[in-house]
Amino acid sequence: MWSSILYDWILASQEAIAELQWWLGLLEGWQQAGGASREEFNAAYQQLQEAGLRGWGAHAAGHGIAALAAAVVTVGDGDGESTTHLEAFPPVAYRR
């Protein structure tokens, strides 16, 4: 029985690592691009939640997901410029 439990933990860990590698790639892409759209961020965060990493995302790097959204979500200001705003991303999506 213990080998089955260990095997399950190995599989779950491999899946979590794969999701976090995907997330890392997104973060690096957003950094290079200078941000992400609200829709892109929402979709990525939804996938992170579905992978069971919501709790991790809420506390990662000591800033939480709302701070990350504020840092990367870009919104057009009407003049072709884009700025990053916390208001661009509804905080209710990040409640536990």
Side-chain angles (χ1 to χ4, degrees):
M1 177 172 181
W2 69 269
S3 64
S4 174
I5 293 170
L6 183 59
Y7 181 74
D8 290 346
W9 269 93
I10 289 170
L11 287 179
S13 297
Q14 288 172 335
E15 289 172 7
I17 289 167
E19 284 295 326
L20 288 172
Q21 286 174 327
W22 165 82
W23 181 254
L24 175 61
L26 280 179
L27 293 173
E28 291 171 340
W30 293 340
Q31 182 180 38
Q32 290 178 1
S37 71
R38 180 183 342 179
E39 294 77 15
E40 182 181 13
F41 191 91
N42 280 342
Y45 184 61
Q46 179 67 32
Q47 186 167 337
L48 199 65
Q49 289 178 319
E50 289 172 2
L53 296 169
R54 180 180 188 174
W56 175 86
H59 302 287
H63 301 291
I65 199 72
L68 177 61
V72 302
V73 173
T74 57
V75 180
D77 67 2
D79 293 329
E81 299 287 322
S82 64
T83 55
T84 303
H85 297 284
L86 179 58
E87 301 85 41
F89 197 76
V92 71
Y94 301 115
R95 289 188 186 153
R96 288 185 186 184

